Amino acid sequence: MNNARTRFPIHRYLNVENAYFPGFTADGERITFLSSLTGLPQLWQTPAAAPAGASARPRPMWPEQLTFGQNRVMGAWPAPTSSAIVFARDVGGNEKAQLFLLYPERAELVNLTAGHEEAMHTFGCWAHDGSAVYFSANRRDPAIFDIYRLRVDGAGEGGAEAELLWEHDEPGYLVSFTLSPDGRYLAFSRMQASFEHDLFELELESGEARRLSEGNAEARYYELNYAPGEGGARRTLYLLTDLESDFLHLRSLRPATMEWETLFAPEWDVEMLAVAPTGRYLAVAVNMEGAGRLELLDMGMGMARPGPNLGAIGAGSDEETGEKPPGKPASDPRAVRAVPGMVASRITFSPDGGRVAFAYTAATRTYDVYVWDIESDDLYPVTGSGHGGLPLSSFVAPELVRYPSFDGREIPAWFYKPSAHEGDAERALPVVIIVHGGPESQFRPYFHAIAQYLVASGYAVFAPNVRGSTGYGKRYSHLDDVEKRMDSVADLAEGARWLAEQPEVDGECIAVYGGSYGGFMVLSAITTYPDLWAAAVDIVGISNFVTFLENTSDYRRGHRESEYGSLEQDREFLESIAPIDHLDAVETPLMVIHGANDPRVPLSEAEQLVAALEARDVPVEFLVFDDEGHGIVKLKNKLVAYPAVVAFLDKYLRDGGAD
């Protein structure tokens, strides 16, 4: 067994900061963003311009904190005509987002949704003149979202009540709002299920909503934006959709004539879109097997232009290593693969359309906000998140590998291997397999603090994107639907077997770790393939799809049934694969972590599992956090949870098991 230990304590890794979700203020002089700098996501702002006389990689100015308190900020949207900012915040991780209006220059804060604390509010968009905001909320019925407009000019605490614009009659999240240039139409997407969306356009004067999507065609519709300046019958929607495609592509639609046009269609998902206020540029992010690149479409010139060399950002500038800073955009966009990373949260244009702000993270660098000046081709950071005092040279980038599964399908995975420790070069590595949640998700090469700590401690980390993951096309994502659910668990087991065959791996010391749906994968792995695992960690995981669907929040039930199966039609199958009903063979030591306020996977899922394992005398450790929801967000709780996870893994993978 490998008994190497990292030079740095885990709290250093947990104190790595981040900055994401950028937005330009109306004057273009500042950028708002979210950051965990204080240990909890809050709203900040910083100057948008590079400091005068700066070097090739200028140091950002210290930002100004705008929100405070004991609960996280979930998103923020600056007004188009003033200094006002709307932001969303929940309580204790319950995901019942409330909207607040902030005037930073006078520190005035207004609760726009006071009196509706039991409802979930999803911000839509601002009115063009900044006088009102549009949002959706499930105020009438916990399972149904309606559309509201609230005037914010002169609003006071408990003041104007929101106007109900459209009363919905079907379940489904309402997202991706955009207001037409003439203010007459509001377009939005309804997410009935992960891959079943509907596209609507609401005429505000009449209150009539017209469905723009086709019949029963399976498709997703994201990132809706009206083309600036085009109103009336010539109005045009830009959006990302996989209609008639295996991947999300950039297309345009004229609602008046229902004419579609494909504008950008790489053989990967286009996952983000921003439209310049001038209409000249469209900026998109492309997901290439998890790594991300930025592209600019010049609508005036009718051509695409590669964005900055994001791979250079990932490599970064480390005073200890002497690595070169990022410079001009690379002519070959594949340069992103040098140090894999991804564009994160959102892309946004400055009010004059000349600059693009985006957040970026790489396997070896945390989330920061960058600005790309299109005309000068300059790229510079506006935030400088700390890495816990750790040298960037100590971080490891994973290798993208593929392994064969039971049916011959090749499964992609990110494989982190530690640098050789003195005296340990010949010792086989213990491995932690990290399973992503979702299941419509993908493990991507972002900065993963726990993975980096484990690698520095002498573990290898393996992160597969089993069948059902997104990023590889719709067909791949559907390979685990309902009755095919356990095929993805088989992929996970085959990954463990493949690892055991690698000469550098200790096949007797493999653990499986996952959260949310990844927690279900962990529990299914140890019940279906009990001989493969030395330890397991389940964070906010599902132990029984039947009880999960019965107890999850009303607004999520229909959305999840489309993926997992319905209680009405598939109950017998769901019960047959419930991990909690297959614990007899389990001997794998298990750690379970859950938030008491979890609205997605209720605490009862963890409680029933732990009680059943304790009754069988299976080694189980259980942590519950009373002020958390679906995951661990607060630094004070991370400093309890993750050291306990590492101690648990060390006990069973490196210290010889239980005493």
Side-chain angles (χ1 to χ4, degrees):
M1 294 185 182
N2 189 328
N3 293 309
R5 291 294 189 268
T6 179
R7 293 186 291 150
F8 309 109
I10 189 172
H11 73 261
R12 290 282 197 93
Y13 292 83
L14 296 175
N15 273 284
V16 170
E17 301 156 359
N18 52 46
Y20 56 98
F21 211 85
F24 278 97
T25 56
D27 57 12
E29 294 183 0
R30 294 174 301 282
I31 288 180
T32 63
F33 63 95
L34 304 186
S35 176
S36 62
L37 189 60
T38 61
L40 187 68
Q42 296 293 343
L43 175 61
W44 301 71
Q45 70 176 4
T46 190
S55 62
R57 188 176 189 275
R59 296 292 182 185
M61 296 180 65
W62 188 259
E64 177 187 5
Q65 186 174 355
L66 300 180
T67 62
F68 306 83
Q70 301 302 311
N71 291 293
R72 63 178 173 177
V73 174
M74 306 167 72
W77 303 269
T81 57
S82 71
S83 64
I85 305 167
V86 166
F87 69 88
R89 184 167 63 194
D90 68 353
V91 176
N94 66 3
E95 299 187 7
K96 295 177 180 178
Q98 306 297 303
L99 301 180
F100 297 83
L101 180 67
L102 174 67
Y103 295 95
E105 73 279 4
R106 56 181 187 264
E108 181 182 344
L109 183 64
V110 179
N111 185 345
L112 296 176
T113 53
H116 300 280
E117 287 76 16
E118 291 304 308
M120 172 189 253
H121 300 82
T122 301
F123 180 83
C125 61
W126 280 90
H128 297 310
D129 62 2
S131 64
V133 293
Y134 296 85
F135 63 87
S136 65
N138 56 346
R139 293 180 174 182
R140 288 188 309 111
D141 184 324
I144 303 290
F145 286 82
D146 301 321
I147 295 178
Y148 296 83
R149 176 173 54 200
L150 176 63
R151 297 196 64 86
V152 299
D153 46 348
E157 191 77 27
E161 180 64 22
E163 174 189 1
L164 177 59
L165 295 179
W166 185 57
E167 190 171 294
H168 201 190
D169 57 2
E170 294 185 39
Y173 299 98
L174 304 181
V175 296
S176 293
F177 288 70
T178 181
L179 188 65
S180 64
D182 57 13
R184 294 177 55 193
Y185 299 93
L186 188 72
F188 58 93
S189 176
R190 177 178 66 195
M191 296 176 60
Q192 294 177 296
S194 297
F195 286 86
E196 297 177 15
H197 297 188
D198 284 316
L199 184 62
F200 287 91
E201 187 178 58
L202 175 65
E203 185 179 39
L204 295 176
E205 183 176 348
S206 67
E208 294 295 323
R210 174 189 170 204
R211 179 174 168 175
L212 304 179
S213 49
E214 301 178 8
N216 296 320
E218 180 189 66
R220 294 173 289 174
Y221 304 95
Y222 289 120
E223 303 280 295
L224 277 59
N225 286 265
Y226 279 104
E230 294 188 354
R234 289 188 54 80
R235 67 190 183 279
T236 301
L237 276 173
Y238 296 127
L239 69 160
L240 306 181
T241 180
D242 55 7
L243 178 66
E244 301 175 342
S245 169
D246 198 32
F247 291 94
L248 289 165
H249 291 156
L250 172 59
R251 302 183 69 181
S252 66
L253 169 66
R254 290 190 181 275
T257 60
M258 292 303 295
E259 295 176 75
W260 287 92
E261 181 181 358
T262 299
L263 303 177
F264 185 58
E267 287 303 310
W268 299 104
D269 277 342
V270 182
E271 57 186 358
M272 293 184 196
L273 167 66
V275 179
T278 60
R280 176 174 176 178
Y281 297 118
L282 307 183
V284 296
V286 182
N287 176 352
M288 305 188 317
E289 289 192 291
R293 79 169 188 248
L294 195 63
E295 293 270 358
L296 190 72
L297 277 68
D298 188 328
M299 304 303 288
M301 300 291 291
M303 59 181 290
R305 171 180 169 183
N309 179 5
L310 304 182
I313 294 176
S317 172
D318 190 337
E319 295 176 355
E320 293 193 14
T321 64
E323 294 178 69
K324 294 182 179 180
K328 300 291 185 179
S331 57
D332 183 356
R334 292 174 297 176
V336 67
R337 295 175 184 267
V339 177
M342 56 180 279
V343 181
S345 62
R346 71 172 173 183
I347 309 169
T348 186
F349 277 92
S350 60
D352 64 3
R355 291 166 292 166
V356 178
F358 60 94
Y360 185 79
T361 175
T364 57
R365 183 176 288 275
T366 188
Y367 295 77
D368 266 312
V369 175
Y370 296 83
V371 171
W372 178 32
D373 188 299
I374 298 171
E375 182 176 354
S376 68
D377 220 7
D378 287 332
L379 174 71
Y380 57 90
V382 293
T383 66
S385 300
H387 288 82
L390 300 167
L392 299 184
S393 57
S394 68
F395 302 136
V396 173
E399 175 188 3
L400 182 60
V401 300
R402 289 175 176 81
Y403 65 90
S405 192
F406 64 92
D407 57 356
R409 184 177 297 276
E410 294 285 315
I411 305 299
W414 295 96
F415 197 7
Y416 297 75
K417 300 178 186 178
S419 302
H421 291 262
E422 184 177 354
D424 291 323
E426 301 303 320
R427 297 187 180 185
L429 297 168
V431 182
V432 178
I433 299 181
I434 296 180
V435 194
H436 68 69
E440 300 92 351
S441 186
Q442 178 185 20
F443 189 97
R444 304 187 63 183
Y446 62 97
F447 185 84
H448 196 296
I450 299 303
Q452 291 293 343
Y453 177 79
L454 290 170
V455 171
S457 302
Y459 288 92
V461 171
F462 190 74
N465 283 311
V466 298
R467 69 190 68 203
S469 301
T470 52
Y472 307 95
K474 280 192 297 191
R475 287 189 292 270
Y476 191 80
S477 296
H478 284 321
L479 291 176
D480 69 339
D481 286 357
V482 193
E483 72 278 359
K484 296 176 285 188
R485 176 68 44 207
M486 300 307 289
D487 287 353
S488 61
V489 184
D491 286 346
L492 187 58
E494 292 300 327
R497 294 184 179 120
W498 179 86
L499 284 167
E501 295 173 355
Q502 306 311 302
E504 67 268 44
V505 168
D506 184 344
E508 299 297 318
C509 293
I510 299 177
V512 60
Y513 169 113
S516 188
Y517 174 78
F520 163 79
M521 291 287 285
V522 167
L523 299 176
S524 288
I526 65 173
T527 53
T528 310
Y529 305 95
D531 297 334
L532 294 178
W533 318 104
V537 179
D538 159 34
I539 303 176
V540 298
I542 302 167
S543 61
N544 184 337
F545 278 125
V546 171
T547 55
F548 161 71
L549 291 170
E550 288 175 340
N551 296 314
T552 194
S553 298
D554 292 340
Y555 62 86
R556 291 186 55 81
R557 186 170 298 109
H559 186 74
R560 293 293 82 199
E561 283 188 330
S562 64
E563 167 71 24
Y564 300 140
S566 72
L567 290 173
E568 181 178 352
Q569 298 179 0
D570 304 295
R571 179 182 288 267
E572 183 177 350
F573 170 73
L574 294 174
E575 290 176 340
S576 74
I577 65 169
I580 196 167
D581 292 332
H582 298 278
L583 298 179
D584 291 347
V586 174
E587 296 180 358
T588 306
L590 177 67
M591 169 167 272
V592 179
I593 299 174
H594 220 96
N597 301 320
D598 192 339
R600 302 189 186 196
V601 182
L603 177 61
S604 56
E605 287 295 298
E607 291 174 329
Q608 64 182 352
L609 170 71
V610 171
L613 289 173
E614 288 178 338
R616 293 190 59 251
D617 293 325
V618 174
V620 59
E621 298 183 22
F622 190 27
L623 289 177
V624 177
F625 294 93
D626 292 337
D627 56 349
E628 295 282 10
H630 194 62
I632 309 302
V633 174
K634 298 179 178 180
L635 178 60
K636 69 180 182 69
N637 294 331
K638 291 180 180 180
L639 290 170
V640 174
Y642 292 111
V645 168
V646 171
F648 174 81
L649 293 173
D650 283 348
K651 178 178 180 180
Y652 291 103
L653 271 68
R654 298 204 301 197
D655 297 339
D659 295 332

